Amino acid sequence: MKKLFTGLLLLFSAMTFAQQANTKIVAKRIIATNSLEVGTRAITAIKNDSTLLDSATLLTAKAVKDYVLARSVIGGTLLFDLPLENTSGTVSIVMADDNNDGYLPAAWYTSFRKKWGPAGNLATTGDWFGTTNAEPIIFKTNSLEIGRLSADGFYKVQFGYKGAMAGATGNYSSAPGGYEPIASGIYSFAAGGFQTAATGLAAAAFNRNTIASGNYSFAAGSSSVASGTYSAAFNNALVNGTGAFGCGMYNDTTSDASNPKIFFVGNGAGTGDRHNGFTILSGGNIGGYNIVNPTAKFHIPAPTATASTGQIKLNPGVKQTTPEDGVINYDTTGSNRNLLFDVGSVHYTIAKTLTGTATLNFGSTAAGTSTDLTVTVTGAADGDAVTIGVPNASTLSNGSFTAWVSATNTVTVRFSNNDLSSALDPASGSFRISVIKY
């Protein structure tokens, strides 16, 4: 009779347990034992059927600890939630009386995997962290969502302030860190800083207010935009050409579809003052400062009167021992510095010319005599070659003009009257004097 009463009581308790929607059970004493722990005494229980056995050992227990989850109170019962402890291995919940020799039907036997604890966990082969249904894994701090792993099977990962709300929406995308990163392109990546967006296929955006909207594009820095396919934008650059690379600040954004920019360095002062410091077009033409559409292989901007703004500057050196066709050398090995241009196997010296103009009026020159006038040409030195440009109105059939450096910075121009019978008077005019130096 006593055993029958005990069986009915246990059956009633099992029915009570099954009815608890919130996984709460009623018990005298519940002990959770860890299957990985080696015990010093056995808890006897039952096999997986309804037969009550008093000698079948199901688990070892109590070497490390008994997980006492609830005890009965006099005149009443105690409710609790399962699972309660964080342990390693498979944890089994059994019901026992105060002498640890109670029995229970199979419906009371429950096995479950461990919970992961905040102080570290002892993992075993096959352990994993995640969900078994189509729900994302969500991370929060101070009840605010800071990260999310997608549940749709497309490996979307997003972290950061508001990252989970904007975040990784493209398949196989990632949006870690920063404020409101958006990775909406397939295989895209947006991270760091403030409101970065990678919307193109396999695009990547970093830092602050950057947008990588072109497929396979890359944007980094501040307010940079890479909208061209395979393009890259850094700092504050706006890059819209296919395969183009841009950096610097406030670059020129005009484009020519037939010959687009593939490399440039922005050098503007603001959104209303956009310039390029350097530009290369897809056709190979290179432009200097603010030459955004160069029309030559190397298009040089105009010089200014300011120092260090010249167009080309060569460092001094020595000429090549063997001429190389098409090469220019600045030879400073001698007392005179010369610019050499190689044509074939010859070094040709490019003349350095001093030039100036002066109005000359020689007046009437007696037959068979000459008249001299002087012109100042700064830099002229004795022995320099001199040429003279004579205005047409000053020419006479029996007269001639010659010139030479007569003193430092001074060129003498001579009119010779070759008529032996009559005086000649050439018309006054503007004469050009050229002094060639080597």
Side-chain angles (χ1 to χ4, degrees):
M1 180 63 69
K2 179 178 180 181
K3 287 187 178 181
L4 178 60
F5 177 77
T6 302
L8 291 174
L9 177 61
L10 290 174
L11 179 61
F12 173 79
S13 299
M15 294 174 61
T16 303
F17 170 78
Q19 294 172 355
Q20 296 296 323
N22 59 356
T23 323
K24 292 185 177 181
I25 64 174
V26 180
K28 286 185 60 180
R29 183 181 182 197
I30 302 299
I31 299 178
T33 63
N34 190 329
S35 65
L36 298 183
E37 297 172 355
V38 180
T40 57
R41 69 185 178 188
I43 294 180
T44 58
I46 64 169
K47 295 181 179 179
N48 291 326
D49 57 33
S50 59
T51 304
L52 298 180
L53 301 175
D54 58 4
S55 61
T57 301
L58 185 63
L59 298 172
T60 59
K62 208 164 183 173
V64 178
K65 62 176 70 174
D66 281 347
Y67 301 93
V68 180
L69 307 181
R71 280 186 175 274
S72 63
V73 294
I74 298 176
T77 59
L78 183 65
L79 301 179
F80 65 95
D81 292 321
L82 295 177
L84 188 62
E85 295 289 340
N86 298 313
T87 64
S88 58
T90 298
V91 178
S92 297
I93 302 300
V94 298
M95 181 178 181
D97 62 16
D98 288 337
N99 297 319
N100 287 336
D101 59 357
Y103 305 100
L104 67 163
W108 283 76
Y109 177 74
T110 306
S111 293
F112 56 89
R113 299 300 295 173
K114 66 185 180 181
K115 278 187 175 180
W116 288 82
N121 303 274
L122 178 63
T124 59
T125 302
D127 284 354
W128 53 275
F129 176 84
T131 62
T132 57
N133 58 347
E135 291 295 327
I137 296 177
I138 299 174
F139 299 86
K140 291 186 177 183
T141 60
N142 197 27
S143 297
L144 296 176
E145 183 172 335
I146 62 165
R148 178 179 294 231
L149 306 180
S150 69
D152 57 9
F154 288 107
Y155 311 106
K156 302 171 186 175
V157 180
Q158 53 202 44
F159 282 91
Y161 183 68
K162 292 191 176 181
M165 286 172 274
T169 58
N171 293 343
Y172 315 107
S173 63
S174 297
Y179 180 94
E180 293 184 344
I182 298 175
S184 59
I186 299 174
Y187 304 111
S188 63
F189 186 93
F194 179 84
Q195 292 180 331
T196 56
T199 60
L201 172 66
F206 294 84
N207 304 122
R208 183 180 185 275
N209 285 335
T210 57
I211 300 174
S213 57
N215 292 342
Y216 314 105
S217 63
F218 183 94
S222 177
S223 301
S224 60
V225 177
S227 58
T229 303
Y230 303 110
S231 64
F234 291 83
N235 300 337
N236 184 258
L238 306 181
V239 183
N240 53 26
T242 298
F245 180 100
C247 60
M249 299 291 290
Y250 302 108
N251 61 283
D252 176 84
T253 57
T254 60
S255 62
D256 180 357
S258 63
N259 197 12
K261 304 177 185 69
I262 61 170
F263 179 86
F264 60 82
V265 178
N267 192 31
T271 55
D273 184 25
R274 292 184 171 274
H275 301 289
N276 286 357
F278 187 79
T279 303
I280 300 178
L281 302 185
S282 62
N285 287 2
I286 300 174
Y289 176 74
N290 210 30
I291 305 294
V292 296
N293 291 297
T295 56
K297 292 304 179 184
F298 190 31
H299 197 153
I300 304 172
T304 69
T306 306
S308 301
T309 62
Q311 291 177 294
I312 297 177
K313 186 173 184 177
L314 302 177
N315 282 335
V318 298
K319 66 181 179 181
Q320 293 172 288
T321 302
T322 302
E324 184 178 345
D325 191 35
V327 170
I328 295 176
N329 292 284
Y330 181 30
D331 183 15
T332 61
T333 55
S335 58
N336 297 316
R337 299 186 172 196
N338 290 309
L339 195 63
L340 306 178
F341 179 60
D342 294 350
V343 178
S345 59
V346 179
H347 289 306
Y348 286 91
T349 301
I350 300 175
K352 303 184 293 291
T353 303
L354 301 173
T355 187
T357 61
T359 299
L360 301 179
N361 186 1
F362 291 91
S364 180
T365 301
T369 63
S370 61
T371 301
D372 294 342
L373 297 176
T374 59
V375 178
T376 299
V377 179
T378 303
D382 185 22
D384 289 343
V386 179
T387 62
I388 183 172
V390 180
N392 184 62
S394 300
T395 61
L396 297 170
S397 59
N398 289 323
S400 62
F401 296 91
T402 57
W404 70 96
V405 177
S406 55
T408 300
N409 301 327
T410 302
V411 173
T412 295
V413 180
R414 175 172 288 176
F415 170 71
S416 296
N417 182 357
N418 299 319
D419 190 324
L420 299 180
S421 61
S422 301
L424 297 176
D425 186 2
S428 175
S430 178
F431 290 70
R432 176 169 293 280
I433 311 301
S434 296
V435 176
I436 301 173
K437 302 182 70 67
Y438 295 95

